[in-house]
mmCIF file of all heavy atoms in Angstrom:
data_model
loop_
_atom_site.group_PDB
_atom_site.id
_atom_site.type_symbol
_atom_site.label_atom_id
_atom_site.label_comp_id
_atom_site.label_asym_id
_atom_site.label_seq_id
_atom_site.Cartn_x
_atom_site.Cartn_y
_atom_site.Cartn_z
ATOM 1 N N GLY B 21 -55.631 -32.404 17.180
ATOM 2 C CA GLY B 21 -55.713 -32.401 15.711
ATOM 3 C C GLY B 21 -54.945 -33.568 15.141
ATOM 4 O O GLY B 21 -55.460 -34.322 14.265
ATOM 5 N N CYS B 25 -56.184 -36.988 13.087
ATOM 6 C CA CYS B 25 -55.687 -37.404 11.809
ATOM 7 C C CYS B 25 -55.274 -38.897 11.813
ATOM 8 O O CYS B 25 -55.488 -39.574 10.817
ATOM 9 C CB CYS B 25 -54.449 -36.591 11.416
ATOM 10 S SG CYS B 25 -54.840 -35.451 10.162
ATOM 11 N N PHE B 30 -61.330 -40.695 8.080
ATOM 12 C CA PHE B 30 -61.271 -39.563 7.191
ATOM 13 C C PHE B 30 -59.791 -39.159 6.975
ATOM 14 O O PHE B 30 -59.361 -38.877 5.835
ATOM 15 C CB PHE B 30 -62.030 -38.395 7.772
ATOM 16 C CG PHE B 30 -61.946 -37.135 7.006
ATOM 17 C CD1 PHE B 30 -62.623 -36.945 5.877
ATOM 18 C CD2 PHE B 30 -61.065 -36.147 7.475
ATOM 19 C CE1 PHE B 30 -62.496 -35.784 5.155
ATOM 20 C CE2 PHE B 30 -60.967 -34.957 6.740
ATOM 21 C CZ PHE B 30 -61.665 -34.773 5.588
ATOM 22 N N GLY B 31 -59.029 -39.186 8.050
ATOM 23 C CA GLY B 31 -57.601 -38.808 7.942
ATOM 24 C C GLY B 31 -56.824 -39.735 7.021
ATOM 25 O O GLY B 31 -55.930 -39.343 6.350
ATOM 26 N N TRP B 34 -57.972 -39.563 2.864
ATOM 27 C CA TRP B 34 -57.585 -38.436 1.911
ATOM 28 C C TRP B 34 -56.303 -38.840 1.189
ATOM 29 O O TRP B 34 -56.155 -38.601 0.050
ATOM 30 C CB TRP B 34 -57.425 -37.159 2.733
ATOM 31 C CG TRP B 34 -56.264 -37.215 3.727
ATOM 32 C CD1 TRP B 34 -56.412 -37.492 5.017
ATOM 33 C CD2 TRP B 34 -54.934 -37.019 3.504
ATOM 34 N NE1 TRP B 34 -55.198 -37.474 5.673
ATOM 35 C CE2 TRP B 34 -54.260 -37.215 4.734
ATOM 36 C CE3 TRP B 34 -54.107 -36.722 2.360
ATOM 37 C CZ2 TRP B 34 -52.867 -37.047 4.862
ATOM 38 C CZ3 TRP B 34 -52.739 -36.607 2.513
ATOM 39 C CH2 TRP B 34 -52.121 -36.791 3.758
ATOM 40 N N ALA B 35 -55.329 -39.435 1.949
ATOM 41 C CA ALA B 35 -54.062 -39.711 1.324
ATOM 42 C C ALA B 35 -54.194 -40.809 0.299
ATOM 43 O O ALA B 35 -53.675 -40.661 -0.847
ATOM 44 C CB ALA B 35 -53.069 -40.116 2.430
ATOM 45 N N GLY B 38 -56.019 -39.626 -2.821
ATOM 46 C CA GLY B 38 -55.186 -38.767 -3.703
ATOM 47 C C GLY B 38 -54.223 -39.545 -4.538
ATOM 48 O O GLY B 38 -54.107 -39.320 -5.737
ATOM 49 N N ALA B 99 -45.459 -34.281 9.297
ATOM 50 C CA ALA B 99 -46.336 -33.454 8.512
ATOM 51 C C ALA B 99 -45.716 -33.043 7.145
ATOM 52 O O ALA B 99 -46.393 -33.092 6.120
ATOM 53 C CB ALA B 99 -46.696 -32.158 9.292
ATOM 54 N N SER B 100 -44.404 -32.758 7.182
ATOM 55 C CA SER B 100 -43.777 -32.389 5.830
ATOM 56 C C SER B 100 -43.759 -33.580 4.960
ATOM 57 O O SER B 100 -43.852 -33.476 3.780
ATOM 58 C CB SER B 100 -42.419 -31.761 6.082
ATOM 59 O OG SER B 100 -41.707 -32.433 7.071
ATOM 60 N N MET B 102 -45.981 -35.995 4.837
ATOM 61 C CA MET B 102 -47.331 -36.162 4.315
ATOM 62 C C MET B 102 -47.567 -35.149 3.189
ATOM 63 O O MET B 102 -48.152 -35.464 2.173
ATOM 64 C CB MET B 102 -48.370 -35.797 5.434
ATOM 65 C CG MET B 102 -48.355 -36.769 6.567
ATOM 66 S SD MET B 102 -49.128 -38.286 6.119
ATOM 67 C CE MET B 102 -49.778 -38.807 7.642
ATOM 68 N N LEU B 103 -47.038 -33.892 3.377
ATOM 69 C CA LEU B 103 -47.188 -32.857 2.372
ATOM 70 C C LEU B 103 -46.481 -33.305 1.074
ATOM 71 O O LEU B 103 -47.030 -33.250 -0.041
ATOM 72 C CB LEU B 103 -46.627 -31.582 2.832
ATOM 73 C CG LEU B 103 -46.896 -30.346 1.925
ATOM 74 C CD1 LEU B 103 -48.371 -30.138 1.819
ATOM 75 C CD2 LEU B 103 -46.190 -29.119 2.491
ATOM 76 N N PHE B 104 -45.226 -33.858 1.230
ATOM 77 C CA PHE B 104 -44.536 -34.302 0.069
ATOM 78 C C PHE B 104 -45.228 -35.468 -0.581
ATOM 79 O O PHE B 104 -45.209 -35.663 -1.778
ATOM 80 C CB PHE B 104 -43.102 -34.780 0.477
ATOM 81 C CG PHE B 104 -42.117 -33.717 0.123
ATOM 82 C CD1 PHE B 104 -42.015 -32.549 0.890
ATOM 83 C CD2 PHE B 104 -41.263 -33.860 -0.980
ATOM 84 C CE1 PHE B 104 -41.130 -31.612 0.531
ATOM 85 C CE2 PHE B 104 -40.390 -32.900 -1.269
ATOM 86 C CZ PHE B 104 -40.295 -31.783 -0.529
ATOM 87 N N GLY B 105 -45.839 -36.359 0.233
ATOM 88 C CA GLY B 105 -46.514 -37.509 -0.313
ATOM 89 C C GLY B 105 -47.745 -37.125 -1.096
ATOM 90 O O GLY B 105 -48.147 -37.801 -1.989
ATOM 91 N N ALA B 106 -48.272 -35.919 -0.765
ATOM 92 C CA ALA B 106 -49.463 -35.512 -1.505
ATOM 93 C C ALA B 106 -49.071 -34.770 -2.790
ATOM 94 O O ALA B 106 -49.927 -34.526 -3.635
ATOM 95 C CB ALA B 106 -50.319 -34.543 -0.611
ATOM 96 N N LEU B 107 -47.776 -34.440 -2.968
ATOM 97 C CA LEU B 107 -47.390 -33.682 -4.144
ATOM 98 C C LEU B 107 -47.668 -34.418 -5.458
ATOM 99 O O LEU B 107 -48.081 -33.724 -6.429
ATOM 100 C CB LEU B 107 -45.872 -33.348 -4.075
ATOM 101 C CG LEU B 107 -45.597 -32.110 -3.208
ATOM 102 C CD1 LEU B 107 -44.080 -31.911 -3.180
ATOM 103 C CD2 LEU B 107 -46.257 -30.891 -3.721
ATOM 104 N N ALA B 109 -50.079 -36.209 -6.268
ATOM 105 C CA ALA B 109 -51.505 -36.021 -6.576
ATOM 106 C C ALA B 109 -51.679 -34.637 -7.118
ATOM 107 O O ALA B 109 -52.383 -34.397 -8.164
ATOM 108 C CB ALA B 109 -52.332 -36.187 -5.306
ATOM 109 N N MET B 110 -51.079 -33.604 -6.472
ATOM 110 C CA MET B 110 -51.238 -32.240 -6.934
ATOM 111 C C MET B 110 -50.676 -32.050 -8.330
ATOM 112 O O MET B 110 -51.192 -31.287 -9.127
ATOM 113 C CB MET B 110 -50.567 -31.267 -5.965
ATOM 114 C CG MET B 110 -51.401 -31.106 -4.702
ATOM 115 S SD MET B 110 -50.436 -30.434 -3.382
ATOM 116 C CE MET B 110 -49.767 -29.038 -4.068
ATOM 117 N N PRO B 116 -57.259 -31.997 -8.048
ATOM 118 C CA PRO B 116 -57.336 -32.929 -6.928
ATOM 119 C C PRO B 116 -58.303 -32.415 -5.888
ATOM 120 O O PRO B 116 -58.635 -31.263 -5.772
ATOM 121 C CB PRO B 116 -55.907 -32.850 -6.397
ATOM 122 C CG PRO B 116 -55.432 -31.503 -6.851
ATOM 123 C CD PRO B 116 -56.058 -31.230 -8.125
ATOM 124 N N ASP B 117 -58.794 -33.416 -5.130
ATOM 125 C CA ASP B 117 -59.742 -33.067 -4.054
ATOM 126 C C ASP B 117 -59.086 -32.125 -3.101
ATOM 127 O O ASP B 117 -57.915 -32.166 -2.788
ATOM 128 C CB ASP B 117 -60.208 -34.310 -3.361
ATOM 129 C CG ASP B 117 -61.038 -35.126 -4.274
ATOM 130 O OD1 ASP B 117 -61.811 -34.528 -5.073
ATOM 131 O OD2 ASP B 117 -60.914 -36.377 -4.213
ATOM 132 N N PHE B 118 -59.905 -31.312 -2.501
ATOM 133 C CA PHE B 118 -59.439 -30.229 -1.619
ATOM 134 C C PHE B 118 -58.699 -30.772 -0.428
ATOM 135 O O PHE B 118 -57.613 -30.286 -0.047
ATOM 136 C CB PHE B 118 -60.728 -29.418 -1.156
ATOM 137 C CG PHE B 118 -60.558 -28.837 0.200
ATOM 138 C CD1 PHE B 118 -59.864 -27.657 0.383
ATOM 139 C CD2 PHE B 118 -61.165 -29.377 1.274
ATOM 140 C CE1 PHE B 118 -59.713 -27.083 1.642
ATOM 141 C CE2 PHE B 118 -61.058 -28.862 2.562
ATOM 142 C CZ PHE B 118 -60.383 -27.651 2.724
ATOM 143 N N TYR B 119 -59.136 -31.937 0.121
ATOM 144 C CA TYR B 119 -58.466 -32.344 1.386
ATOM 145 C C TYR B 119 -57.097 -32.976 1.092
ATOM 146 O O TYR B 119 -56.374 -33.233 1.992
ATOM 147 C CB TYR B 119 -59.350 -33.308 2.081
ATOM 148 C CG TYR B 119 -59.892 -34.473 1.291
ATOM 149 C CD1 TYR B 119 -59.122 -35.584 0.921
ATOM 150 C CD2 TYR B 119 -61.228 -34.462 0.971
ATOM 151 C CE1 TYR B 119 -59.646 -36.625 0.187
ATOM 152 C CE2 TYR B 119 -61.753 -35.501 0.198
ATOM 153 C CZ TYR B 119 -60.997 -36.562 -0.183
ATOM 154 O OH TYR B 119 -61.506 -37.589 -0.959
ATOM 155 N N VAL B 120 -56.787 -33.228 -0.198
ATOM 156 C CA VAL B 120 -55.466 -33.867 -0.512
ATOM 157 C C VAL B 120 -54.357 -32.958 -0.050
ATOM 158 O O VAL B 120 -53.356 -33.434 0.490
ATOM 159 C CB VAL B 120 -55.429 -34.175 -2.020
ATOM 160 C CG1 VAL B 120 -53.999 -34.486 -2.370
ATOM 161 C CG2 VAL B 120 -56.278 -35.325 -2.366
ATOM 162 N N TYR B 121 -54.522 -31.683 -0.285
ATOM 163 C CA TYR B 121 -53.402 -30.781 0.128
ATOM 164 C C TYR B 121 -53.800 -29.954 1.356
ATOM 165 O O TYR B 121 -52.921 -29.482 2.066
ATOM 166 C CB TYR B 121 -52.965 -29.878 -0.988
ATOM 167 C CG TYR B 121 -54.071 -29.078 -1.616
ATOM 168 C CD1 TYR B 121 -54.442 -27.872 -1.122
ATOM 169 C CD2 TYR B 121 -54.690 -29.613 -2.784
ATOM 170 C CE1 TYR B 121 -55.428 -27.150 -1.752
ATOM 171 C CE2 TYR B 121 -55.654 -28.880 -3.394
ATOM 172 C CZ TYR B 121 -56.079 -27.662 -2.895
ATOM 173 O OH TYR B 121 -57.017 -26.965 -3.521
ATOM 174 N N ALA B 122 -55.087 -29.904 1.671
ATOM 175 C CA ALA B 122 -55.469 -29.103 2.875
ATOM 176 C C ALA B 122 -55.018 -29.751 4.125
ATOM 177 O O ALA B 122 -54.519 -29.135 5.069
ATOM 178 C CB ALA B 122 -56.925 -28.832 2.866
ATOM 179 N N VAL B 123 -55.203 -31.120 4.179
ATOM 180 C CA VAL B 123 -54.920 -31.789 5.417
ATOM 181 C C VAL B 123 -53.422 -31.717 5.791
ATOM 182 O O VAL B 123 -53.065 -31.371 6.895
ATOM 183 C CB VAL B 123 -55.427 -33.237 5.382
ATOM 184 C CG1 VAL B 123 -54.974 -33.986 6.578
ATOM 185 C CG2 VAL B 123 -56.924 -33.242 5.286
ATOM 186 N N PRO B 124 -52.527 -32.012 4.830
ATOM 187 C CA PRO B 124 -51.107 -31.861 5.193
ATOM 188 C C PRO B 124 -50.724 -30.507 5.578
ATOM 189 O O PRO B 124 -49.928 -30.304 6.504
ATOM 190 C CB PRO B 124 -50.356 -32.336 3.951
ATOM 191 C CG PRO B 124 -51.344 -33.067 3.122
ATOM 192 C CD PRO B 124 -52.678 -32.554 3.467
ATOM 193 N N LEU B 125 -51.282 -29.508 4.910
ATOM 194 C CA LEU B 125 -50.897 -28.125 5.256
ATOM 195 C C LEU B 125 -51.394 -27.814 6.677
ATOM 196 O O LEU B 125 -50.703 -27.185 7.454
ATOM 197 C CB LEU B 125 -51.561 -27.132 4.261
ATOM 198 C CG LEU B 125 -50.800 -26.997 2.938
ATOM 199 C CD1 LEU B 125 -51.493 -26.052 2.030
ATOM 200 C CD2 LEU B 125 -49.375 -26.489 3.242
ATOM 201 N N GLY B 126 -52.582 -28.295 7.022
ATOM 202 C CA GLY B 126 -53.064 -28.113 8.379
ATOM 203 C C GLY B 126 -52.151 -28.786 9.389
ATOM 204 O O GLY B 126 -51.820 -28.199 10.443
ATOM 205 N N LEU B 127 -51.756 -29.951 9.046
ATOM 206 C CA LEU B 127 -50.844 -30.671 9.931
ATOM 207 C C LEU B 127 -49.577 -29.899 10.199
ATOM 208 O O LEU B 127 -49.037 -29.787 11.279
ATOM 209 C CB LEU B 127 -50.501 -32.097 9.368
ATOM 210 C CG LEU B 127 -51.532 -33.127 9.466
ATOM 211 C CD1 LEU B 127 -51.099 -34.376 8.781
ATOM 212 C CD2 LEU B 127 -51.826 -33.453 10.948
ATOM 213 N N MET B 128 -49.025 -29.342 9.025
ATOM 214 C CA MET B 128 -47.802 -28.593 9.136
ATOM 215 C C MET B 128 -47.985 -27.400 10.020
ATOM 216 O O MET B 128 -47.179 -27.098 10.938
ATOM 217 C CB MET B 128 -47.360 -28.040 7.752
ATOM 218 C CG MET B 128 -46.682 -28.981 6.873
ATOM 219 S SD MET B 128 -44.969 -29.152 7.188
ATOM 220 C CE MET B 128 -44.287 -27.681 6.533
ATOM 221 N N ALA B 129 -49.105 -26.690 9.874
ATOM 222 C CA ALA B 129 -49.354 -25.481 10.667
ATOM 223 C C ALA B 129 -49.431 -25.833 12.148
ATOM 224 O O ALA B 129 -48.790 -25.180 13.004
ATOM 225 C CB ALA B 129 -50.646 -24.796 10.207
ATOM 226 N N MET B 130 -50.113 -26.927 12.424
ATOM 227 C CA MET B 130 -50.298 -27.295 13.840
ATOM 228 C C MET B 130 -48.936 -27.723 14.451
ATOM 229 O O MET B 130 -48.613 -27.334 15.566
ATOM 230 C CB MET B 130 -51.260 -28.474 13.961
ATOM 231 C CG MET B 130 -52.684 -27.967 13.756
ATOM 232 S SD MET B 130 -53.913 -29.207 14.317
ATOM 233 C CE MET B 130 -53.857 -30.271 12.926
ATOM 234 N N SER B 131 -48.091 -28.425 13.739
ATOM 235 C CA SER B 131 -46.847 -28.876 14.324
ATOM 236 C C SER B 131 -45.936 -27.706 14.452
ATOM 237 O O SER B 131 -45.197 -27.621 15.423
ATOM 238 C CB SER B 131 -46.189 -29.995 13.474
ATOM 239 O OG SER B 131 -46.763 -30.095 12.262
#
Side-chain angles (χ1 to χ4, degrees):
Chain B
C25 252
F30 175 77
W34 64 265
S100 41
M102 297 282 211
L103 188 62
F104 259 74
L107 279 179
M110 283 161 55
D117 292 322
F118 150 80
Y119 50 75
V120 165
Y121 52 88
V123 174
L125 280 178
L127 283 176
M128 281 277 285
M130 285 193 283
S131 15

